[in-house]
Each structure stands twice: as structure tokens, then as C-alpha cells.
Amino acid sequence: MIKKILKGMGITLLVIICLFVILAVWTSFKASGYKETAIPYLTPALTEISKWDAQTLKSYMTPTSIEGVSDDDLSKIVRAFSKLGDLKELGEYQFINVSTKAVTGDGSGTFVTYKIPASFENGEAQITVTLKEEGESFSIYHFNINSMAMIE
């Protein structure tokens, strides 16, 4: 009786381990497809955006991302980000996910999300960027910076 229970637990554990391995391989496969296209787009884009000019940020964003944001609000957001100072270094890009959304309007498409640790003049930050695939290129769909340096 105990052998059957242990055998069942062992098989269950083996299935769970196999599922995690399959998930890791699948994520790696999806990430490698965008490593050649998304990262070469993102590195110069983040460098330009980190000069903290509202119009530069706006030029990289998708139209749907900025349609509800006034120029005044965008300037306030960029001013808050500018507390970080100049960009010193971008860390290793961490692939988060890729998803396809089908909705009415301009919100449909394929979206790729990365997290990037960054070092700025006034502190460290975590940048989260979601790119919208647009043919052979990308646009920024979502952009967020988390840093204690912006609070001080």
C-alpha cells in the first residue's frame, strides 16, 4: 500500500518537473525569436527616451498608447522620470512574455515584454517595456520605470 502511494507521488513529481522543463524550453524558444529583432530596436530607443524629452517618448509610442494622454500630462511624466538623471548603463534584457491580442481598433497585434535593469546618474531602476510588433519593426506600447530615485 505504501509502495503504491510513494510510486504515485513519484510519478506526480516527475510529471510536474517535466511540465516545468517544457515551459522553460518553450519560453526560451519564444525569447530567441525576438532577441534578433526586439533588442536591437529597444537599446537605441531606451537611450533616446532617457534624454527625457516628451516628444521623443511620444515618437516611440504607439498611437493607441498616447491617445488618451495630453501633452501636458506627458511632460509631467517625463519630468518625473528625469529625476533619475542621465542613463549610465542598461543591464541584461529579461524576456517576460509574448502575447497576441485581437481586439477592435488599433489594439490588436503581437506584444513582447522585457524587463531591463538600468543604472542612472541618480540611482538604479527597473524598466518594463512592452513592444508592439509592427511588420519588421516595433513601437512601444507600454513603458514603465520603477525606482526609488524618483521618490526622493
Side-chain angles (χ1 to χ4, degrees), residues 71-132:
D71 286 343
D72 189 45
D73 288 342
L74 187 61
S75 292
K76 288 178 185 176
I77 292 167
V78 171
R79 251 192 324 273
F81 287 161
S82 71
K83 291 180 182 179
L84 291 168
D86 293 334
L87 176 66
K88 290 172 33 180
E89 181 180 18
L90 291 171
E92 186 176 332
Y93 290 73
Q94 178 187 357
F95 175 81
I96 301 299
N97 68 5
V98 60
S99 63
T100 302
K101 297 177 186 174
V103 294
T104 58
D106 194 31
S108 298
T110 301
F111 299 88
V112 185
T113 303
Y114 284 94
K115 278 191 179 181
I116 307 107
S119 178
F120 289 90
E121 187 176 38
N122 297 322
E124 302 298 313
Q126 182 76 24
I127 302 172
T128 305
V129 180
T130 300
L131 300 174
K132 181 180 181 188

Side-chain angles (χ1 to χ4, degrees), residues 4-64:
K4 286 184 180 182
I5 292 172
L6 290 175
K7 186 177 180 181
M9 288 174 52
I11 291 172
T12 303
L13 184 61
L14 184 61
V15 168
I16 290 171
I17 290 171
C18 286
L19 288 174
F20 277 114
V21 168
I22 290 170
L23 179 65
V25 169
W26 179 251
T27 301
S28 176
F29 172 73
K30 286 190 143 201
S32 68
Y34 288 100
K35 191 174 191 177
E36 305 295 322
T37 56
I39 292 175
Y41 168 83
L42 201 48
T43 301
L46 291 175
T47 302
E48 284 295 311
I49 289 168
S50 296
K51 293 179 181 172
W52 311 125
D53 176 60
Q55 292 307 312
T56 301
L57 176 59
K58 193 174 185 177
S59 72
Y60 280 100
M61 302 292 289
T62 62
T64 29

